[in-house]
Amino acid sequence: MLKKIAKKIFPGVSWKNPIVNFVFKLIDPIDYIARSARGLSYLPPYSIRVRSTGVSKECLAMNFYKDGVKFSNLLKDHASLNSESKVLEIGCGCGRTAFALSSILDDGNYYGVDIEKISLDSCKKRPIFLKKNFHFEHLDIQNDEYNPDGKSRADTYKFLYDSNSFNIVFMISVFTHMLTDDVKNYIAEISRILKPEGYCMFSTFLMDHGRNSNTNDLSFPYNESCHYFHNQSMPEIAVGYDLDFYVSEFASVGMTLAGDPLWGSWRKNPDITTTTGFGPDEFGQDILFFKKENEKEK
Ligand SMILES: C[S@@+](CC[C@H](N)C(=O)[O-])C[C@H]1O[C@@H](n2cnc3c(N)ncnc32)[C@H](O)[C@@H]1O
């Protein structure tokens, strides 16, 4: 009931509301003391972290650092990440995975881009990234949830990187905020900028199981083009796709599914075993890996 009232007063994401944002800023000093005691003083403040990971999960940075380490382990295990890998993170937010990667990658091998300026600017200021020469760039791309006044469009955007530049491109909780034509363009761009045999890892809500089950925390009752969505008035809040959509889009640009999908816990369905390595109350999305074919072997 309280949740329903809160949703009516504060539509969309809560951190966009100036009053809520003000309250988050009041929590920042307490958050700083608590996370400093755990050796995490270098992380961004609570009021910034909530933009990436949500309000409840981000309390005292309980999940932020741990999640980043788990994502980097997935990249090691399924995408051949090593200290020499040249990595692009699209939608890096305030650096959840970049912090973990800073102890794995050599200087200058990480590039992070995002459309949400406050989170991105926070990355640019973190001393740990300055020391490591990590690169961050703001993309002024329009998205109703994250950058409503953006000047460029995700469905036609060309990344400013040369073809065959990266060993790994990854996205955590980014396609979950993007509509069909935007995702199609990003997939084509990802294939272009990946080196042959490079990997793409991304998280998503796969619609193949439990799209409308009432055991879910989330349901996706609406459908347009290839995307399913949760909120009719702002689809970008939570978007899902079928596995077949990804398989055929990646195939059209020379990339194939690398390994089985890793199933997340967002469905709360006991019949679907979680295989991402995240616990039931941790990061809940499904995770996929695609590999770019080696032209010479074709
Ligand atoms: C839920 S947050 C996740 C942030 C970060 N990946 C993490 O794991 O903490 C979603 C992020 O996707 C970014 N985003 C949304 N649409 C995007 C687009 N078209 N291109 C790049 N980033 C985008 C948002 O600005 C936001 O930072």
Side-chain angles (χ1 to χ4, degrees), residues 51-53 71 89-93 96-97 113-116 139 141 143 146 154 172-174 177-178 186:
R51 290 162 184 265
S52 287
T53 48
F71 292 129
E89 179 174 10
I90 302 176
C92 60
R96 176 161 50 162
T97 309
V113 295
D114 204 290
I115 64 171
E116 205 267 303
L139 313 180
I141 292 175
N143 177 290
Y146 285 97
I172 306 297
S173 193
V174 178
H177 303 285
M178 292 175 62
Y186 271 38

Side-chain angles (χ1 to χ4, degrees), residues 90-197:
I90 302 176
C92 60
C94 59
R96 176 161 50 162
T97 309
F99 285 105
L101 291 178
S102 68
S103 56
I104 298 172
L105 292 172
D106 281 343
D107 285 0
N109 276 349
Y110 173 93
Y111 294 73
V113 295
D114 204 290
I115 64 171
E116 205 267 303
K117 201 161 181 329
I118 293 182
S119 297
L120 205 271
D121 285 349
S122 151
C123 289
K124 284 186 177 167
K125 281 191 277 194
R126 299 289 125 204
I128 196 168
F129 295 144
L130 289 173
K131 259 191 264 160
K132 289 289 289 192
N133 196 18
F134 274 30
H135 312 270
F136 294 95
E137 190 205 342
H138 179 244
L139 313 180
D140 193 19
I141 292 175
Q142 198 279 341
N143 177 290
D144 280 350
E145 187 184 358
Y146 285 97
N147 191 18
D149 302 321
K151 304 280 179 297
S152 306
R153 295 168 52 121
D155 62 349
T156 51
Y157 189 78
K158 299 281 166 248
F159 287 85
L160 298 173
Y161 303 108
D162 291 339
S163 302
N164 305 327
S165 291
F166 293 97
N167 303 101
I168 296 173
V169 177
F170 75 98
M171 285 161 292
I172 306 297
S173 193
V174 178
F175 280 171
T176 50
H177 303 285
M178 292 175 62
L179 311 185
T180 306
D181 288 344
D182 306 345
V183 171
K184 284 184 176 181
N185 178 49
Y186 271 38
I187 289 174
E189 276 295 282
I190 288 166
S191 174
R192 179 183 69 77
I193 60 185
L194 270 176
K195 294 177 194 263
E197 304 199 336

